[in-house]
Amino acid sequence: MKSPQQVLSSRLPILGGKMALRHLAETGTIDTIIMATDYKTNRDLFLEAIETTQLGVSIIPMATLYERSFGKIPVEHIDDQWYAALPAEHGQSVTPLYLVWRKSIDLLFGLCGTFLLLLILPLVALLIRLDSPGPIFYSQPRLGYRGRPFLIYKFRSMYIDAEQMGKALWSRKHDVRITRMGRFMRATHLDELPQVINILRGEMSLIGPRPEREEFVVELEQSVPFYRCRLMVTPGLTGWAQVKYHYGNTNRDTLVKLQHDLYYIKHQSITLDIFIMLKTVQEVLLYRGI
């Protein structure tokens, strides 16, 4: 089976090598060059491409085009261009208006969510206890803003002692540790509702990267570039990665979700937040939690 790169290359014409680049620019055959190399990798090709800018050709780094096209940052391909994964000036990319917006939606959702939590708590608590013995709520240490630990709250969706010997385990799709009521709550994200308490306490926001366990953060930052950069912002109940990528528990899934999280951190805006909220509502209504 051919790889996507092989399929793509078989469909696109090859216009020539390095020596043909200037001719193609002079004849107007090309107007944009996507650079997937740098000065140190191929000095002659890089200089040749730079010279074509005098002929009106635009040059776009591959990482920039990837970011614009797919809404995520290719952290595994930016190498020395580490700055491409971060906001231009951390703290200056967020306007005062946006900060007011964030505080407002957090407060509004926190209060409305708490009212909803109290309203449905008797019924949900009864269903959880009838389904399996154990507590109604479940708390777990997570890392928040700048790595500060806090306890995240959920409705219990797994059988008690789901993690034998206290070892941290990834949650999996079709996980046998999940109860029947737990599957429903996860599919509708109802199990996350108690996190409105975390939002009111300022430990979480409505929107942001999902908070992760310290054990997994320590493990993943060894193999996934820039993973700890997720801690630059307050974690969220929902986020860009949650609405853009399916459920996953592999290192590859973690990498893709990180690409989306870093894109959100870099491009935070009212418009993007509204889009995430609308997509989250759609996910809940379509029962796509698991």
Side-chain angles (χ1 to χ4, degrees):
M1 181 180 293
K2 292 183 178 180
S3 67
Q5 291 82 359
Q6 290 173 323
V7 173
L8 184 61
S9 62
S10 66
R11 294 178 180 176
L12 298 176
I14 298 176
L15 303 179
K18 181 186 70 174
M19 302 305 296
L21 191 58
R22 174 172 287 276
H23 172 72
L24 293 172
E26 290 175 341
T27 57
T29 306
I30 59 174
D31 57 18
T32 303
I33 295 175
I34 302 170
M35 291 290 290
T37 185
D38 58 24
Y39 184 83
K40 289 185 287 187
T41 303
N42 195 324
R43 179 178 180 275
D44 293 339
L45 179 60
F46 185 85
L47 293 176
E48 190 75 23
I50 292 298
E51 288 181 8
T52 63
T53 60
Q54 301 176 34
L55 301 172
V57 175
S58 300
I59 296 181
I60 303 177
M62 181 277 293
T64 300
L65 182 66
Y66 186 97
E67 181 179 334
R68 294 176 184 173
S69 302
F70 300 105
K72 53 185 180 179
I73 295 175
V75 294
E76 73 274 40
H77 295 303
I78 59 179
D79 297 322
D80 291 340
Q81 301 176 25
W82 52 268
Y83 48 84
L86 306 174
E89 297 249 355
H90 184 49
Q92 295 186 14
S93 58
V94 178
T95 65
L97 176 61
Y98 180 71
L99 291 176
V100 172
W101 155 261
R102 286 293 296 259
K103 289 294 184 182
S104 298
I105 62 170
D106 285 350
L107 180 60
L108 179 61
F109 183 83
L111 293 174
C112 293
T114 300
F115 175 76
L116 178 61
L117 176 63
L118 295 175
L119 188 65
I120 68 172
L121 180 58
L123 177 60
V124 173
L126 176 62
L127 292 174
I128 292 175
R129 290 300 296 270
L130 289 175
D131 191 24
S132 68
I136 305 303
F137 295 100
Y138 175 73
S139 63
Q140 190 178 71
R142 297 289 175 97
L143 292 187
Y145 178 58
R146 294 183 177 176
R148 297 169 187 164
F150 71 98
L151 284 179
I152 194 174
Y153 299 104
K154 295 184 177 186
F155 282 124
R156 181 176 60 85
S157 61
M158 288 187 175
Y159 296 101
I160 57 174
D161 299 324
E163 292 185 341
Q164 298 182 1
M165 300 181 67
K167 182 180 179 181
L169 299 172
W170 287 102
S171 179
R172 302 177 297 275
K173 196 170 185 178
H174 307 304
D175 199 319
V176 296
R177 299 173 297 166
I178 302 175
T179 65
R180 290 171 298 177
M181 181 60 182
R183 292 194 183 281
F184 169 76
M185 291 192 296
R186 288 189 172 214
T188 57
H189 297 284
L190 181 61
D191 62 318
E192 310 283 0
L193 184 58
Q195 288 162 42
V196 294
I197 305 301
N198 293 116
I199 292 177
L200 287 178
R201 292 168 59 172
E203 297 163 333
M204 291 178 60
S205 289
L206 174 60
I207 300 171
R210 286 295 294 162
E212 194 50 85
R213 300 171 68 172
E214 184 175 7
E215 303 97 308
F216 293 146
V217 172
V218 172
E219 175 187 342
L220 290 167
E221 67 180 344
Q222 302 300 318
S223 58
V224 181
F226 305 101
Y227 188 78
R228 205 171 184 86
C229 291
R230 298 171 77 256
L231 303 178
M232 291 173 59
V233 297
T234 305
L237 182 63
T238 185
W240 185 239
Q242 278 61 51
V243 301
K244 292 290 288 184
Y245 194 68
H246 61 77
Y247 179 90
N249 61 356
T250 66
N251 276 5
R252 176 60 188 171
D253 294 328
T254 301
L255 176 62
V256 175
K257 285 194 171 186
L258 175 65
Q259 292 177 337
H260 285 106
D261 284 335
L262 292 181
Y263 179 88
Y264 175 76
I265 293 172
K266 188 174 180 179
H267 297 280
Q268 293 176 82
S269 69
I270 295 176
T271 302
L272 186 56
D273 284 351
I274 292 175
F275 178 82
I276 292 172
M277 288 189 288
L278 293 176
K279 286 289 290 183
T280 300
V281 172
Q282 181 184 43
E283 293 289 310
V284 171
L285 295 178
L286 294 179
Y287 202 68
R288 290 177 177 171
I290 57 174

